[in-house]
Amino acid sequence: MKDIMTAPFMTEAVRTVTNMYNHGWDERNGGNVSIMLDESELRDYLDMSVIREIPTGFGAPSLDGRCFLVTGTGKYFKNVRYDPERNLGIIRVSDSGRTAQLLWGYSDGGKFTSELPAHLMSHAARLEINPANRVVMHCHPANLLAMTYIHSLDSREFTRTLWQMCTECIVVFPDGVNVLPWMLCGTNEIGEATAEMMKTARLVVWSQHGIYGCGADLDETFGLIETAEKAAEIYLKIAHLPRLNTIKDSELRQLAEHFNVEPRRGYLDD
Ligand code: 2HA
Ligand code: ZN
């Protein structure tokens, strides 16, 4: 058996959550990440025996048998790199999603993030749209969060503002962002609402709370959040000032054509 600490998915996961912490997106125990792993990726590192079974409190039948690396509940991203085995876990979904079989990690007797419903339901929804999706990421970036206090929460309006803030935005997230109103976190209800919104965009803002992103790998997902957060930062720098210039819809269209991306239908004015 190889040392799991040397597995590419592990080193990349530890690097990424550390980077998220360093960006100020994950104060205290804020934020959570899940990465879908193929059993074939794990077999070199784990004998795949079940350490213990943990009930999930919801169903996700399409994910039965799938394995995920998931951050632990109550754990601090700043600490992950010093003790991955305590702060992270690898689970296999069984029993139509109702049970998580612990294969590795949560070494202090802990368990997966309280936001597992939003993660697994989003994985299930997103895999239908893109079978290559592997990552769901949640964090609390300050500028996006602040924007939800002063900007319309209409997904089209929110997206258009972000697209107008940096030239690269429409290229990076042509599918835009969807915005959920404030809801109680850690529940199946917010999980279902997030997953529904993941069907049309890879970014879902949780108003007055944070953001969810998804993608084929950690870089794509991190990059989506990073770009939207940068745009929100620009917005907050200018929101109180007279706007003399902007990126016009005709220019957003030029960008989409030049970079060969399809902007979310109906999000640009004719
Ligand atoms: O896990 O971010 O939304 C802490 C959170 C809950
Ligand atoms: Zn959160």
Side-chain angles (χ1 to χ4, degrees):
M1 247 351 119
K2 294 191 202 162
D3 177 2
I4 195 163
M5 290 307 159
T6 65
F9 60 77
M10 185 66 72
T11 52
E12 210 193 332
V14 172
R15 258 206 316 261
T16 301
V17 297
T18 303
N19 206 4
M20 292 171 77
Y21 175 73
N22 289 338
H23 274 61
W25 299 349
D26 297 279
E27 72 292 340
R28 200 172 181 274
N29 63 320
N32 23 77
V33 175
S34 59
I35 309 163
M36 197 168 87
L37 303 168
D38 288 333
E39 274 211 41
S40 59
E41 278 178 280
L42 287 170
R43 287 200 179 281
D44 285 348
Y45 304 98
L46 291 179
D47 65 11
M48 303 305 282
S49 58
V50 178
I51 299 170
R52 51 193 161 97
E53 298 204 320
I54 314 171
T56 64
F58 62 92
S62 67
L63 297 179
D64 251 1
R66 301 282 205 166
C67 296
F68 295 88
L69 177 65
V70 187
T71 52
T73 184
K75 297 296 189 275
Y76 293 22
F77 275 20
K78 80 180 173 65
N79 295 337
V80 169
R81 66 181 165 142
Y82 303 111
D83 195 349
E85 192 163 2
R86 185 187 177 99
N87 294 292
L88 306 174
I90 296 177
I91 58 168
R92 181 168 53 207
V93 175
S94 76
D95 191 19
S96 296
R98 305 219 149 263
T99 303
Q101 300 177 320
L102 183 64
L103 304 178
W104 175 89
Y106 308 142
S107 62
D108 61 350
K111 65 173 194 169
F112 42 74
T113 168
S114 59
E115 302 293 2
L116 195 71
H119 279 259
L120 292 196
M121 291 176 193
S122 293
H123 275 285
R126 205 57 214 177
L127 284 167
E128 301 264 320
I129 312 290
N130 175 17
N133 196 84
R134 291 291 177 273
V135 174
V136 173
M137 183 182 282
H138 166 62
C139 56
H140 305 158
N143 294 292
L144 278 163
L145 223 154
M147 195 170 153
T148 67
Y149 286 86
I150 59 167
H151 192 281
S152 153
L153 300 180
D154 176 75
S155 296
R156 181 178 184 275
E157 290 309 312
F158 206 93
T159 296
R160 288 175 54 78
T161 296
L162 293 178
W163 282 352
Q164 289 163 2
M165 292 303 110
C166 316
T167 291
E168 65 166 345
C169 279
I170 195 170
V171 181
V172 175
F173 52 95
D175 44 342
V177 301
N178 284 330
V179 185
L180 267 186
W182 186 92
M183 285 178 77
L184 185 61
C185 55
T187 62
N188 291 350
E189 288 71 26
I190 201 168
E192 283 156 14
T194 305
E196 187 57 34
M197 287 198 154
M198 283 285 187
K199 291 179 182 168
T200 47
R202 290 166 297 161
L203 288 168
V204 177
V205 172
W206 281 11
S207 294
Q208 296 84 48
H209 182 141
I211 191 164
Y212 266 76
C214 70
D217 56 33
L218 284 164
D219 268 357
E220 177 190 346
T221 314
F222 186 97
L224 279 169
I225 293 176
E226 190 179 28
T227 308
E229 169 64 358
K230 177 69 162 282
E233 182 181 353
I234 309 289
Y235 175 72
L236 292 180
K237 285 184 195 293
I238 65 162
H240 60 297
L241 300 171
R243 191 158 354 154
L244 303 181
N245 306 299
T246 193
I247 309 174
K248 301 184 192 77
D249 281 35
S250 59
E251 292 163 339
L252 290 168
R253 266 186 220 291
Q254 275 184 52
L255 281 163
E257 271 166 36
H258 185 74
F259 289 97
N260 204 20
V261 297
E262 190 67 46
R264 176 93 163 257
R265 193 181 296 271
Y267 273 31
L268 292 177
D269 290 335
D270 294 327

